[in-house]
Amino acid sequence: MKIGKHFTLDELTVTHSGLLNVPNKASIDALTLLVNNVLDPVREMLGEPIIINSGYRSLRVNKAAGGVATSQHLSGEAADMDCSDNAKLFHLIRDHFVFDQLIWEGGDDKQPAWVHVSYKLQGNRGEVKQMKVIKGKKTYIRL
């Protein structure tokens, strides 16, 4: 099922856990908002495909992925993604879009390993963070 111009429901529910990962209508609606307000427009600006590593996650998939209990992936409000230049992707979103959270995930100071973005129907906070692993622990630093 196509959601927006460039993304499908299958892409946004991908999991490598082997666990069932089927969103309800509210989560599909949230994914559609994320696609329409961030993912499709940034894909157009970038001019190349964006690979979704994780979008919607069921409770079991989220737990298997090491996600927190409050993860926006559980409601379909978030996506982790990659492209040929994740830093460019991050900066395009930061500079041109409304979002709830934008996280430079791992990697180094020149290139994140992947980009996390979330979008809500109301109350988007515009939080920008960088995740670094310090002494084996994920640490989130506000930028």
Side-chain angles (χ1 to χ4, degrees):
M1 174 174 135
K2 198 105 164 145
I3 296 181
K5 183 175 179 183
H6 298 287
F7 297 93
T8 66
L9 185 58
D10 285 346
E11 286 177 278
L12 294 161
T13 57
V14 68
T15 178
H16 304 290
S17 67
L19 299 168
L20 192 62
N21 197 43
V22 180
N24 61 23
K25 183 181 179 332
S27 294
I28 293 171
D29 290 347
L31 287 168
T32 302
L33 283 172
L34 176 63
V35 167
N36 289 338
N37 289 283
V38 182
L39 302 183
D40 265 348
V42 78
R43 161 65 175 85
E44 292 288 322
M45 288 180 82
L46 194 61
E48 68 175 71
I50 295 171
I51 306 302
I52 305 298
N53 301 319
S54 182
Y56 168 80
R57 295 181 193 154
S58 68
L59 285 170
R60 291 179 66 205
V61 169
N62 191 58
K63 185 174 181 179
V68 296
T70 57
S71 173
Q72 288 180 282
H73 288 280
L74 292 165
S75 60
E77 294 177 337
D80 296 338
M81 57 198 157
D82 274 315
C83 68
S84 69
D85 186 344
N86 288 339
K88 182 176 181 181
L89 176 63
F90 179 91
H91 291 112
L92 283 173
I93 295 170
R94 184 194 64 193
D95 297 343
H96 298 282
F97 296 94
V98 172
F99 54 86
D100 189 49
Q101 286 189 320
L102 177 64
I103 306 174
W104 180 291
E105 297 270 8
D108 56 32
D109 289 336
K110 292 182 181 181
Q111 195 70 235
W114 71 91
V115 175
H116 168 97
V117 67
S118 64
Y119 182 89
K120 302 188 299 185
L121 178 60
Q122 296 178 355
N124 287 294
R125 299 170 285 174
E127 287 185 347
V128 180
K129 299 179 181 181
Q130 181 175 9
M131 185 274 287
K132 292 186 175 191
V133 177
I134 301 173
K135 295 182 181 178
K137 183 181 175 193
K138 288 182 182 179
T139 303
Y140 291 86
I141 302 160
R142 284 186 186 249
L143 300 178

